[in-house]
Amino acid sequence: MPPAPDEEQRIHCRLDELLEARGMTLTELSQRVGVSIVNLSVLKNDRARAIRFSTLSAICNVLDCAVGDLLVVTTS
């Protein structure tokens, strides 16, 4: 069941941290993954409501990380 509109999102995307650790820009990731900078920015800024498994897999492949390295559950 989807969360109510007033519920706070508890999933945090660590894309900024992973990019910095790998010396990669969002532009480079966009080109290598085949996803627009705008869509990656939405994900990076924790505004995404959904992500395709194929996109998630491609990002993890390029960044050489696991899904749990990229997406973490935050405590309230």
Side-chain angles (χ1 to χ4, degrees):
M1 181 178 230
D6 61 338
E7 282 188 34
E8 188 176 323
Q9 184 170 325
R10 295 184 51 217
I11 303 294
H12 170 66
C13 181
R14 297 182 60 239
L15 189 55
D16 266 345
E17 299 161 53
L18 294 172
L19 287 171
E20 184 177 332
R22 286 150 179 80
M24 188 181 297
T25 65
L26 197 62
T27 301
E28 183 181 351
L29 180 65
S30 171
Q31 292 168 346
R32 292 179 64 182
V33 172
V35 174
S36 74
I37 294 174
V38 171
N39 285 339
L40 288 176
S41 181
V42 167
L43 181 63
K44 176 181 75 107
N45 293 312
D46 292 331
R47 290 181 290 147
R49 304 290 279 161
I51 184 170
R52 291 181 181 190
F53 286 134
S54 59
T55 300
L56 187 56
S57 180
I59 291 170
C60 288
N61 284 338
V62 169
L63 294 178
D64 191 29
C65 69
V67 174
D69 298 327
L70 180 64
L71 302 175
V72 295
V73 178
T74 59
T75 56
S76 303

